[in-house]
Amino acid sequence: TATNKKIETPTGDLVISKVVVGEENSDKSFEFNIVLKDKDNVELDKVFDYILSAADKILKEGKIQSGDTFQLKDGELIRIKEIPLGTKYEVTEIDPEGYVVTAENNIGEIQGEETFVKFTNTKKPEEPETPPETPETPEEPEEPEEPEVPETPEIPSIPEEPEEEPLVEPNVPEIPEKPEEPIVVPHTPERKVTVKTNKKIPQTGMSFPGELFLGLAGLYLLIDKKKKH
């Protein structure tokens, strides 16, 4: 009778270690998460055995599978056993507050008998409890007061011009009016008009001017009478 033999799949161990720098005798535990997937990126549901050790001393043995978390202290390592070769893995440290994390080979595939992952945590320098006081900002020097502007001297008022005294015309002696010269009518000598007439001029008893007028009138009538003839 033929014996059916089970074909074994080659496997390897995943070894994850922790180192702390900058802190002596650290007893702090750091938490990690692990994810395992096959070549088709399908997460494995198989449970694997692990051994937790430090300085070649076994501290704990247990079982673990993809999606679980585990803890490591400074100097410790965990060996997850018999993971199929070609399995994809990713190991992540969860919130290592106060430390700077350096991860080596934390993402990859299981190849060979052992695959190593190393996490180094460097302690951050502690901040002083009381932060140094911020030096006070020196007050800005006050701006010097501007010198008072001297008051503009009052412009002397222009003296008022003295009122002009009314010109007093000198007393000019009045020129005495010339006495009116009497109008002198030149004396016209009386002209004697001799009227030749055969008639006797009656004695009128009139003054000379009246007699003269009558004589002239008679002369005029005589001349006029002759013109008519």
Side-chain angles (χ1 to χ4, degrees):
T1 306
T3 302
N4 293 328
K5 292 185 178 181
K6 185 178 178 180
I7 300 174
E8 294 183 359
T9 303
T11 61
D13 294 349
L14 180 62
V15 181
I16 305 164
S17 63
K18 159 61 64 182
V19 175
V20 177
V21 177
E23 188 177 26
E24 294 182 3
N25 302 320
S26 174
D27 193 42
K28 181 179 176 62
S29 295
F30 299 92
E31 190 170 14
F32 297 84
N33 172 264
I34 185 168
V35 175
L36 300 171
K37 295 181 180 180
D38 63 17
K39 62 181 179 180
D40 296 322
N41 286 325
V42 177
E43 189 170 356
L44 302 180
D45 57 2
K46 184 179 177 180
V47 178
F48 301 94
D49 294 327
Y50 76 84
I51 299 174
L52 178 64
S53 65
D56 296 328
K57 180 181 178 180
I58 296 175
L59 302 176
K60 182 181 179 180
E61 294 184 14
K63 294 186 181 295
I64 192 170
Q65 69 181 89
S66 179
D68 286 350
T69 60
F70 60 92
Q71 293 183 344
L72 294 175
K73 294 181 180 181
D74 180 31
E76 293 181 347
L77 61 84
I78 185 171
R79 180 184 293 271
I80 302 173
K81 302 184 66 161
E82 297 180 351
I83 299 174
L85 296 182
T87 298
K88 297 177 182 180
Y89 68 87
E90 181 175 355
V91 182
T92 306
E93 186 168 358
I94 302 171
D95 298 329
E97 185 177 353
Y99 296 85
V100 178
V101 178
T102 303
E104 299 176 33
N105 200 36
N106 65 314
I107 299 175
E109 292 182 3
I110 302 299
Q111 296 176 351
E113 292 182 0
E114 293 180 321
T115 299
F116 293 93
V117 176
K118 182 179 179 180
F119 283 87
T120 302
N121 285 20
T122 303
K123 179 69 175 177
K124 292 180 181 179
E126 293 184 1
E127 296 182 359
E129 293 182 1
T130 305
E133 294 183 1
T134 305
E136 294 182 1
T137 305
E139 295 181 0
E140 295 184 2
E142 294 181 1
E143 295 184 0
E145 294 182 1
E146 295 184 0
E148 293 184 1
V149 179
E151 295 182 1
T152 306
E154 293 184 1
I155 300 172
S157 57
I158 300 172
E160 296 182 0
E161 294 183 1
E163 294 183 2
E164 293 183 0
E165 294 183 2
L167 293 176
V168 178
E169 296 182 0
N171 291 330
V172 180
E174 294 183 1
I175 300 172
E177 295 182 0
K178 291 182 180 182
E180 293 183 1
E181 295 182 1
I183 300 172
V184 179
V185 179
H187 178 71
T188 304
E190 294 182 2
R191 294 178 64 184
K192 294 183 179 181
V193 180
T194 303
V195 181
K196 291 181 178 183
T197 176
N198 291 328
K199 296 181 179 180
K200 291 183 180 180
I201 298 173
Q203 294 293 328
T204 59
M206 301 177 66
S207 64
F208 171 74
E211 293 179 352
L212 179 58
F213 177 75
L214 291 175
L216 290 174
L219 179 59
Y220 175 77
L221 292 172
L222 182 61
I223 294 170
D224 185 59
K225 185 177 180 180
K226 284 182 179 183
K227 286 180 179 181
K228 288 180 179 181
H229 290 292

